[in-house]
């Protein structure tokens, strides 16, 4: 898919930096017992179905293959009742856990079509998860559309998903399709939503909800983790996601900080997995990657913790290598002999004896 435009990072960076500065919240030490990240948001469970409960337990234990087998056995050809839709949803969650974004998307689409406005909660959650699967598949326009559909049904979504996660994913989605104006608009909305979420809590609970929220707002999708899809879109999306991941790292939370650090490290490792046959495109990719590293360094906090320090050491190493690789690409991309002649300071030709100036008449 041809990208409409690359976000011009100097402007984007300044706006992002100012938004993040206004977002800084003083958080106390977070010693609360962290909650485990769910594969998908919790939804109602149909009562009296032992096999269904076995599938849920497999999901909770991250036994995704077993969960997929159980829920697939419970599927019906045309899901219409709520418990049928929940079964399809959980099957999608299982395939999402397996990294099978295509199959998971099929299941979530079954839910949205089968519900058709009748079961708001499961339908809205399905649209949100479907958007993440479209992200994974590199179908960015569909991802944005699914997010907007989920947003329309926002009253049935968790508060954090509605206020922060959806705007953050919309910012990344619009960035990938080259709409800088919309990307920054939703980035601002995500930060405003995050303020509401954090201000509603206090103490340890505030620290927990902040760290979890910023991680979920910036986490990599399965396609990004595998370095799949359009490389330019990868960098455009990372530009919007990495500020949230950095905040999660800086929070020092015992769960979300580590997960965010792992995502950031993987993202910067994956830069080297994108290869181009044309040196000009490789050079342009490395140049844009350099811009992304500098964006992150621009929002670096002065008193960083050890985890953030390790991230910036990684970013510095990546920046140094990018500079070297960009220079190498420039050296190998030599001009043709014809181009060298055009660009050279000395031109081929013949010497010409200059004409003598005309004799001037003497004045009387």
């Amino acid at each position: 898919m041809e990208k409409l435009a690359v976000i011009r990072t100097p402007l984007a960076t300044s706006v992002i930096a100012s938004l993040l500065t206004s977002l800084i919240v003083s958080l106390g030490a977070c010693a609360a017992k962290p909650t485990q990240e769910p594969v998908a948001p919790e939804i109602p469970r149909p009562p009296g179905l032992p096999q269904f409960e076995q599938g849920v337990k497999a999901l909770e234990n991250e036994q995704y293959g077993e969960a997929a087998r159980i829920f697939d056995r419970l599927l019906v050809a045309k899901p219409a009742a709520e418990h049928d839709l929940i079964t399809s949803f959980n099957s999608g969650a299982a395939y999402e856990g397996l990294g099978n974004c295509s199959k998971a998307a099929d299941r979530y689409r079954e839910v949205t079509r089968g519900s058709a406005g009748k079961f708001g909660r499961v339908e809205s959650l399905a649209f949100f998860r479907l958007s993440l699967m479209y992200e994974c598949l590199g179908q960015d326009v569909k991802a944005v559309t699914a997010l907007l559909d989920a947003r329309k049904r926002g009253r049935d979504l968790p508060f954090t998903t509605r206020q922060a996660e959806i705007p953050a994913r919309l910012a990344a989605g619009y960035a990938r399709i080259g709409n800088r104006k919309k990307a920054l608009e939703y980035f601002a909305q995500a930060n405003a939503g995050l303020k509401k979420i954090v201000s509603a809590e206090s103490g340890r609970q505030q620290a927990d909800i902040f760290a979890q929220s910023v991680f979920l707002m910036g986490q990599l999708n399965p396609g990004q983790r595998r370095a799949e899809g359009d490389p330019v879109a990868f960098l455009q999306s990372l530009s919007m996601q990495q500020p949230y991941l950095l905040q999660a790292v800086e929070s020092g939370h015992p769960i979300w900080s580590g997960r965010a650090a792992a995502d950031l490290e993987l993202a910067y490792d994956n830069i080297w997995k994108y290869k181009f046959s044309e040196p000009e495109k490789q050079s342009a990719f490395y140049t844009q990657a350099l811009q992304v590293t500098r964006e992150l360094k621009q929002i670096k906090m002065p008193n960083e913790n050890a985890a953030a320090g390790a991230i910036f050491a990684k970013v510095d190493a990546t920046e140094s290598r990018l500079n070297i690789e960009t220079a190498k690409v420039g050296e190998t991309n030599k001009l043709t002999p014809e181009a060298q002649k055009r660009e050279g300071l000395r031109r081929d030709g013949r010497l010409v004896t200059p004409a003598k100036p005309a004799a001037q008449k003497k004045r009387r």
Side-chain angles (χ1 to χ4, degrees):
M1 174 181 176
E2 186 178 355
K3 299 300 169 188
L4 302 179
V6 175
I7 288 182
R8 304 317 307 158
T9 48
L11 176 60
T13 302
S14 63
V15 175
I16 290 171
S18 64
L19 288 170
L20 289 176
T21 300
S22 67
L23 181 65
I24 296 173
V25 179
S26 298
L27 299 175
C30 53
K33 182 179 180 181
T35 56
Q36 293 295 319
E37 178 195 2
V39 174
E42 185 179 355
I43 56 178
R45 302 182 183 186
L49 294 177
Q51 281 190 306
F52 185 95
E53 291 298 330
Q54 291 175 12
V56 170
K57 185 174 291 186
L59 268 182
E60 292 173 345
N61 293 330
E62 299 184 359
Q63 298 170 346
Y64 301 122
E66 178 64 17
R69 284 190 291 272
I70 293 172
F71 288 120
D72 282 356
R73 286 198 300 265
L74 298 173
L75 291 176
V76 297
K78 295 182 179 180
E82 186 174 23
H83 69 268
D84 296 334
L85 298 175
I86 294 172
T87 300
S88 294
F89 182 96
N90 282 353
S91 175
Y95 283 110
E96 183 177 344
L98 290 170
N100 189 337
C101 299
S102 179
K103 193 72 172 179
D106 289 342
R107 292 287 185 259
Y108 293 138
R109 276 194 299 268
E110 289 175 5
V111 176
T112 61
R113 292 168 182 167
S115 174
K118 295 190 294 289
F119 307 103
R121 190 179 183 197
V122 67
E123 182 177 340
S124 59
L125 289 170
F127 269 119
F128 179 60
R129 305 310 298 183
L130 178 59
S131 73
L132 300 181
M133 296 305 96
Y134 283 141
E135 274 191 35
C136 173
L137 296 169
Q139 299 176 18
D140 297 320
V141 174
K142 289 184 177 180
V144 168
T145 302
L147 282 168
L148 294 174
D149 283 332
R151 200 180 192 210
K152 290 177 185 176
R153 298 157 177 81
R155 66 183 183 277
D156 297 307
L157 289 168
F159 184 71
T160 55
T161 301
R162 181 173 70 251
Q163 291 291 328
E165 288 182 63
I166 287 180
R169 306 312 290 191
L170 278 169
Y174 276 114
R176 289 193 300 273
I177 61 178
N179 192 330
R180 176 175 60 88
K181 182 178 179 180
K182 279 289 186 183
L184 294 177
E185 176 186 326
Y186 280 108
F187 189 88
Q189 288 185 22
N191 288 342
L194 186 58
K195 282 184 181 180
K196 291 180 183 178
I197 293 167
V198 175
S199 63
E201 307 293 343
S202 61
R204 295 176 179 177
Q205 193 168 1
Q206 184 187 66
D208 285 344
I209 196 68
F210 174 81
Q212 182 180 22
S213 296
V214 288
F215 170 74
L216 293 176
M217 292 164 75
Q219 68 177 325
L220 302 181
N221 65 48
Q224 289 174 308
R225 290 191 171 96
R226 295 192 293 263
E228 296 175 346
D230 184 274
V232 174
F234 172 81
L235 292 177
Q236 288 173 322
S237 190
L238 180 60
S239 174
M240 290 291 166
Q241 292 170 259
Q242 64 180 4
Y244 298 119
L245 291 173
L246 177 60
Q247 289 178 93
V249 173
E250 291 171 340
S251 73
H253 194 275
I255 292 296
W256 307 114
S257 179
R259 292 187 180 185
D263 265 16
L264 271 175
E265 289 182 6
L266 180 60
Y268 277 86
D269 283 337
N270 284 352
I271 288 173
W272 307 110
K273 296 181 181 178
Y274 292 102
K275 303 296 181 183
F276 298 82
S277 57
E278 299 177 30
E280 296 86 354
K281 291 184 178 180
Q282 188 74 72
S283 179
F285 177 77
Y286 286 156
T287 299
Q288 189 173 354
L290 277 169
Q291 292 174 343
V292 173
T293 65
R294 289 161 187 167
E295 286 179 5
L296 192 63
K297 292 173 72 173
Q298 189 168 347
I299 57 176
K300 180 180 179 180
M301 296 292 289
N303 299 319
E304 62 189 23
N305 58 23
I311 290 297
F312 282 108
K314 177 87 169 183
V315 172
D316 288 339
T318 302
E319 185 178 24
S320 297
R321 184 178 170 187
L322 282 168
N323 282 319
I324 293 171
E325 294 299 327
T326 302
K328 285 182 181 177
V329 172
E331 290 174 0
T332 57
N333 189 21
K334 299 294 185 181
L335 294 174
T336 63
E338 292 78 10
Q340 288 177 354
K341 287 181 180 180
R342 288 195 301 270
E343 298 296 327
L345 295 176
R346 299 180 64 180
R347 305 284 185 177
D348 291 337
R350 59 187 179 85
L351 295 175
V352 177
T353 302
K356 293 182 179 180
Q360 295 181 355
K361 293 182 179 180
K362 292 183 179 181
R363 294 182 180 178
R364 293 180 180 180

